[in-house]
């Protein structure tokens, strides 16, 4: 598939995707989402890629789903379209995804960043679920992932009033992992993605699966799963290599087996 609305880069073991509709603040139309999913799935299938980095430009990560595309749709059109499965496909990627956010991450843009595994934000970032301003509600996890990330009071503040959080507020609320100066947000995220990509690909997938289960299950159920996945790590060559390298005081060389 050739891409018109995203840019794709390979940087060592990191696959980087840039949302690239600057004239529409990277609004997520169906074409962009289809391209994004295709690029993510290519990286997922490529054993040389161990971590994925997703970002927009300085002005916007993404200002939401494309309102102009949605405006005239009926409920059955929306239901019948494949739009939802595109979002689900992003969630099904097993490799770690880092989001680097500068400027607006609104509506579906905020939801897309939250589907990623962690967020690095520029000091200029603004996170919001402003759907209430256009007569709808969040539809891709904004009432669920956001509430789990920031708690009920802040989620209600954002979802009911449409207020945007500054990067500092988002950091305080637990929505983002790190806030950095505007000129450093991408390089910081690239460093983070490269650091992740240096770990065992097997352990990364097990760790991602286990952390994500924390949102889906009871504490006892989650701890049970974690223990099983911990044991499973011992079936990998990477576990042997990681522990051997520690004892030999050298850097491990992980193969993903
Ligand atoms: N859609 C389409 N175009 C957009 C857009 C959007 N979300 N956001 C911005 N644009 C376009 C503007 O129309 C404008 O285009 P032109 O008029 O120049 O042709 C251009 O980007 C620049 O925007 P502004 O002129 O408005 O720029 P400002 O700096 O003045 O304002 C802003 C920036 C971000 C505050 C403003 O653009 C704004 O409020 N944008 C809308 C934000 C918003 O309401 N976002 C939520 C959309 S609803 C689902 C999956 C996803 C979703 C739902 C369901 N399923 C899987 C079921 C998601 C829904 C949403 O995201």
């Amino acid at each position: 598939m050739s891409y018109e609305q995203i840019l794709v880069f390979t940087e060592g073991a990191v696959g980087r995707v840039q949302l690239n509709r600057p004239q529409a603040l990277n609004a997520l139309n169906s074409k962009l989402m289809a391209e994004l999913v295709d690029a993510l799935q290519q990286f997922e299938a490529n054993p040389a890629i161990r971590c994925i980095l997703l970002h927009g430009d300085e002005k916007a990560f993404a200002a939401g789903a494309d309102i102009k595309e949605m405006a005239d749709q009926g409920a059955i059109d929306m239901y019948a379209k494949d739009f939802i499965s595109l979002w689900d496909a992003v969630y099904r990627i097993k490799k770690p995804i880092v989001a680097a956010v500068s400027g607006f991450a609104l509506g579906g843009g905020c939801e897309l960043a939250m589907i990623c595994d962690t967020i690095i934000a520029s000091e200029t970032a603004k996170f919001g679920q402003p759907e209430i301003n256009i007569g709808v509600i969040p539809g891709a996890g904004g009432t669920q992932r956001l509430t789990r990330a920031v708690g009920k009071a802040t989620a209600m503040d954002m979802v009911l009033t449409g207020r945007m959080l500054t990067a500092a507020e988002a950091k305080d609320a637990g929505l983002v992992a790190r806030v950095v100066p505007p000129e450093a947000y991408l390089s910081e995220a690239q460093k983070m993605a490269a650091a992740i990509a240096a770990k065992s690909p097997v352990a990364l997938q097990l760790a991602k699966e286990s952390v994500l289960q924390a949102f889906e299950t009871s504490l006892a159920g989650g701890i049970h799963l974690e223990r099983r996945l911990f044991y499973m790590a011992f079936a990998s060559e990477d576990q042997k290599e990681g522990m051997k390298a520690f004892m030999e005081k050298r850097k491990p060389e992980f193969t993903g087996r």
Side-chain angles (χ1 to χ4, degrees):
M1 185 181 209
S2 66
Y3 303 131
E4 289 171 12
Q5 308 204 336
I6 61 170
L7 301 172
V8 173
F9 308 88
T10 297
E11 294 167 340
V14 175
R16 178 158 71 88
V17 181
Q18 177 173 4
L19 308 176
N20 189 34
R21 282 188 83 201
Q23 74 287 0
L25 302 181
N26 295 326
L28 306 164
N29 62 14
S30 350
K31 183 167 170 51
L32 185 151
M33 285 303 295
E35 292 184 5
L36 172 62
V37 166
D38 186 78
L40 294 177
Q41 288 176 342
Q42 301 283 338
F43 284 143
E44 180 86 330
N46 180 351
I49 297 298
R50 297 180 173 192
C51 184
I52 298 166
L53 173 56
L54 179 60
H55 63 100
D57 54 36
E58 263 124 70
K59 188 141 190 233
F61 177 76
D66 192 316
I67 300 171
K68 294 165 190 169
E69 189 180 68
M70 277 187 298
D72 293 328
Q73 303 255 328
I76 302 302
D77 298 326
M78 305 264 318
Y79 183 73
K81 266 199 176 172
D82 217 19
F83 199 52
I84 293 173
S85 69
L86 288 171
W87 288 76
D88 289 346
V90 179
Y91 182 65
R92 280 198 299 274
I93 298 293
K94 291 187 191 157
K95 291 182 181 173
I97 309 179
V98 175
V101 174
S102 175
F104 298 110
L106 302 180
C110 187
E111 290 166 317
L112 180 61
M114 288 191 290
I115 293 174
C116 297
D117 298 307
T118 189
I119 303 174
I120 301 262
S122 155
E123 286 162 358
T124 64
K126 285 185 189 304
F127 296 86
Q129 297 292 161
E131 289 88 343
I132 202 78
N133 297 333
I134 53 171
V136 291
I137 69 168
T143 64
Q144 302 301 306
R145 289 194 186 93
L146 181 69
T147 307
R148 282 164 169 78
V150 305
K152 178 183 161 190
T154 303
M156 286 291 192
D157 182 6
M158 295 170 71
V159 170
L160 299 184
T161 72
R163 187 175 82 83
M164 297 180 209
L165 295 189
T166 62
E169 285 177 305
K171 172 78 173 71
D172 286 347
L175 185 59
V176 310
R178 303 179 200 172
V179 178
V180 296
E183 62 279 8
Y185 87 99
L186 189 54
S187 58
E188 184 75 7
Q190 283 172 308
K191 271 188 234 155
M192 185 199 236
I196 292 171
K199 314 296 181 203
S200 157
V202 181
L204 288 174
Q205 282 192 16
L206 297 177
K208 173 167 174 168
E209 182 182 344
S210 198
V211 172
L212 287 177
Q213 269 304 307
F215 297 102
E216 307 284 351
T217 189
S218 66
L219 180 60
I223 286 177
H224 183 71
L225 175 79
E226 180 189 83
R227 200 160 300 153
R228 303 268 142 200
L229 296 179
F230 176 79
Y231 296 150
M232 197 191 279
F234 283 74
S236 70
E237 291 173 16
D238 282 352
Q239 173 268 327
K240 300 284 173 289
E241 165 63 8
M243 294 191 178
K244 195 160 171 264
F246 172 80
M247 291 184 292
E248 292 171 358
K249 300 188 187 300
R250 62 173 172 81
K251 278 200 166 170
E253 281 180 30
F254 294 121
T255 59
R257 286 193 295 273

